[in-house]
Amino acid sequence: MTEVRPSPKLVELLRGTGPLLALTGAGVSAESGLATFRGPGGLWEGRDPTELATPQAFRDDPLTVWRFYAWRRAQAAAATPNRAHETLAALERSRGEMLLVTQNVDGLHERCGSRQVVRLHGSLWRLRCTAEGRELDDLRTDLGELPPYCDCGALLRPGVVWFGEALPEDAIEAGVRAARQAALVLVVGTSSLVYPAAELPRIAAAAGGYVVEVNPETTPLSAVADERFAGPAGEVLPALLEAAGLSSEASS
Ligand code: BJW
């Protein structure tokens, strides 16, 4: 078990009512059995997922990229939210102002009851027409023959943000706004290597926000964070709330 001893300052901030920002990455879904991008277990059929998450890879080989995303959709559909998702949803319920900004595309935060969720990198459950740019929801676990095509005849692509592509403007704007205002920022399960998401805690720190990192490994953010907990989010987050006298239990 990871020892979790938050400072009195952090306990005060957790109990308080000031604006809170949570920034999450793939590590938050690791305990639900979903692979992260980097590090051990982060491979798909021996390939580096970050090499598949590019417009170039999709142009060169849409079928392989679609096979990767079809596999991710099936994994995410079969997964259930874990204690980390539950604790973040409970934290949102227990205080007024909290924004959850996620780099994850799996939808587990939403399924676990988090309401104020900003998705920086899109969603596995949205498809986009490569000709018209039109997006549609598609929750099927089996997309049929790959790659999928739009009614207009053009190739469909996953509604996610690949390297070199712009993030949804409203999403990154909401993230930056929340970072500037946040009294407390919880940065959970991200390698803090991918920008502009990795900039958000730095923006918050520069504006006087208290930055807390939850990650078993050190990251480039570790040196900037005011406090850090080296353990799995599904253990650390409930323990943090318990130490602050708050409930981490999921409810409807
Ligand atoms: C646990 C755990 C447990 C394990 N508990 N923790 C500035 C500097 C340098 C480069 C750039 C820059 N600005 C922009 C760039 C370029 C680029 C970038 O950042 N490159 C760097 C890699 C060098 N950024 C972009 O290209 C972005 N676009 C952009 O900037 O556009 C500009 C533009 C403007 C106008 C017009 C056009 C362009 C887009 C980035 C998109 C990233 N997309 C992906 C794929 C999304 C779809 C999909 O999911 O398939 O997003 S890549 C991948 O990385 C995915 C993730 O969301 C993202 C971040 O990864 P994450 O979540 O941190 O996962 P991991 O695996 O890296 O880390 C997991 C962590 O969990 C580890 O630390 C573990 O230790 C930990 N962990 N178990 C807690 N139980």
Side-chain angles (χ1 to χ4, degrees), residues 28-243:
V28 91
S29 294
E31 289 157 85
S32 294
L34 301 185
T36 59
F37 286 86
R38 300 164 184 85
L43 288 181
W44 175 74
E45 295 190 355
R47 302 179 68 149
D48 178 349
T50 59
E51 281 170 17
L52 295 163
T54 69
Q56 185 64 47
F58 189 69
R59 271 195 297 275
D60 292 349
D61 188 354
L63 178 57
T64 296
V65 173
W66 257 118
R67 284 182 52 237
F68 170 59
Y69 280 95
W71 174 76
R72 300 263 308 280
R73 284 166 63 104
Q75 297 279 308
T80 45
N82 64 55
R83 290 288 288 137
H85 299 105
E86 284 171 13
T87 306
L88 289 168
L91 193 54
E92 181 185 352
R93 277 193 304 277
S94 79
R95 59 191 296 144
E97 244 182 305
M98 169 171 163
L99 189 69
L100 198 162
V101 175
T102 188
Q103 298 166 83
N104 298 346
V105 296
D106 55 35
L108 289 183
H109 285 302
E110 296 90 332
R111 270 171 57 193
C112 197
S114 285
R115 299 270 175 266
Q116 300 291 317
V117 180
V118 167
R119 290 192 291 254
L120 290 180
H121 294 162
S123 167
L124 283 176
W125 310 108
R126 305 270 294 167
L127 308 186
R128 190 183 319 142
C129 173
T130 53
E132 303 161 330
R134 193 167 59 89
E135 283 207 355
L136 53 122
D137 287 323
D138 191 322
L139 302 178
R140 286 175 297 164
T141 41
D142 184 356
L143 285 171
E145 194 180 341
L146 296 176
Y149 286 88
C150 181
D151 292 343
C152 78
L155 200 56
L156 286 166
R157 58 160 282 178
V160 300
V161 181
W162 286 324
F163 285 115
E165 295 184 322
L167 276 64
E169 213 171 305
D170 52 346
I172 190 63
E173 278 175 13
V176 169
R177 211 167 32 244
R180 289 196 179 122
Q181 293 168 355
L184 172 61
V185 186
L186 301 176
V187 185
V188 189
T190 174
S191 56
S192 291
L193 290 170
V194 175
Y195 285 80
E199 197 62 38
L200 296 178
R202 294 170 184 273
I203 291 172
Y210 196 77
V211 176
V212 175
E213 183 178 55
V214 178
N215 194 318
E217 309 293 334
T218 55
T219 75
L221 183 72
S222 303
V224 177
D226 294 292
E227 220 161 310
R228 110 166 218 96
F229 296 91
E235 283 180 26
V236 171
L237 289 175
L240 275 180
L241 263 68
E242 196 177 308

